[in-house]
Amino acid sequence: DGGITQSPKYLFRKEGQNVTLSCEQNLNHDAMYWYRQDPGQGLRLIYYSQIVNDFQKGDIAEGYSVSREKKESFPLTVTSAQKNPTAFYLCASSIKGRRNYEQYFGPGTRLTVT
Amino acid sequence: ILNVEQSPQSLHVQEGDSTNFTCSFPSSNFYALHWYRWETAKSPEALFVMTLNGDEKKKGRISATLNTKEGYSYLYIKGSQPEDSATYLCAQNSGGSNYKLTFGKGTLLTVNP
């Protein structure tokens, strides 16, 4: 079945360590996104990529980095520069080129940094 | 950053009740309005995408309307069932891009049997 996978479901790290969250899709979608959810807040866009080898900062990109070397994969690295990394992270994808696209979401990764 | 507001924040209804909630958004630079359903322990799932003023969409017992001139969308659920319990998110395409979405905080619906 086509879909988006994120791994792991739960991730624990010590403060000061970089950590990479995985996102893979087999929907043949061109666009991919990373969102962050914090309690009491809406989903906030971290980074998005419209095509391989290209990506743009979202609204809260500071302390994060991404790569898009393959169409299927869009890993997110949470660096030690991110001041409040503990959060729930969602990856999504969509078909490119349609104004009325919908986004397909993965199951999310809950990151806890202590 | 666009301000997308949803109300109420949470809602409890009895099985069989009909209910509705609101999404408000800036009416300038409008591209599209999305509704998603997010059940606990699952991924958000797209319900509707609407682009034109006056759009109405329906999927089973759930329907949505769009008013782009005044900047609001309503989501209606007819005859709520316990399986409708979820957080309902709305999101707007940011002006100038076909890709970015700005999400509201969601409405948490609980349907009691």
Side-chain angles (χ1 to χ4, degrees):
Chain A
D1 286 355
I4 299 179
T5 57
Q6 291 184 244
S7 60
K9 190 173 182 178
Y10 299 96
L11 192 52
F12 298 88
R13 279 294 183 271
K14 295 288 188 184
E15 192 174 333
Q17 293 179 336
N18 291 353
V19 59
T20 297
L21 281 59
S22 166
C23 177
E24 304 280 330
Q25 55 100 356
N26 61 2
L27 299 168
N28 200 32
H29 286 173
D30 284 322
M32 296 187 74
Y33 316 79
W34 275 104
Y35 294 94
R36 168 181 173 140
Q37 189 199 33
D38 294 281
Q41 297 206 35
L43 298 179
R44 292 184 291 167
L45 182 65
I46 304 172
Y47 267 97
Y48 65 104
S49 168
Q50 299 179 19
I51 199 168
V52 173
N53 293 324
D54 183 64
F55 47 83
Q56 289 81 41
K57 293 181 179 180
D59 301 318
I60 54 165
E62 186 177 350
Y64 298 98
S65 66
V66 292
S67 63
R68 187 85 188 276
E69 297 176 1
K70 298 187 299 181
K71 188 175 184 178
E72 304 80 23
S73 179
F74 191 41
L76 174 75
T77 297
V78 184
T79 75
S80 56
Q82 168 50 231
K83 295 180 181 177
N84 297 295
T86 295
F88 186 70
Y89 292 87
L90 273 171
C91 179
S93 69
S94 69
I95 297 172
K96 177 187 173 183
R98 287 174 56 190
R99 185 171 176 169
N100 59 335
Y101 71 96
E102 57 190 15
Q103 292 190 5
Y104 293 76
F105 288 85
T109 292
R110 185 167 297 280
L111 173 65
T112 303
V113 177
T114 57
Chain B
I1 298 178
L2 294 177
N3 239 10
V4 177
E5 304 286 344
Q6 291 188 247
S7 62
Q9 187 174 358
S10 64
L11 190 57
H12 289 253
V13 301
Q14 289 298 124
E15 182 175 355
D17 287 351
S18 293
T19 187
N20 64 86
F21 16 98
T22 305
C23 174
S24 302
F25 52 87
S27 54
S28 59
N29 294 325
F30 176 85
Y31 281 78
L33 192 285
H34 295 227
W35 281 101
Y36 291 85
R37 174 170 57 200
W38 194 357
E39 296 178 64
T40 302
K42 294 186 178 180
S43 307
E45 173 191 2
L47 287 173
F48 306 113
V49 179
M50 295 180 287
T51 58
L52 300 176
N53 184 45
D55 261 356
E56 293 186 23
K57 295 280 179 91
K58 187 176 181 181
K59 185 182 290 187
R61 294 179 291 99
I62 304 177
S63 60
T65 61
L66 178 66
N67 184 321
T68 61
K69 293 184 179 180
E70 296 182 41
Y72 64 84
S73 174
Y74 294 137
L75 189 78
Y76 301 90
I77 302 178
K78 184 178 179 181
S80 302
Q81 300 297 309
E83 57 265 31
D84 295 328
S85 297
T87 296
Y88 291 82
L89 304 175
C90 76
Q92 184 189 8
N93 271 127
S94 301
S97 167
N98 280 333
Y99 297 90
K100 289 181 60 176
L101 286 180
T102 300
F103 281 83
K105 295 179 182 180
T107 292
L108 174 60
L109 173 67
T110 304
V111 182
N112 299 310

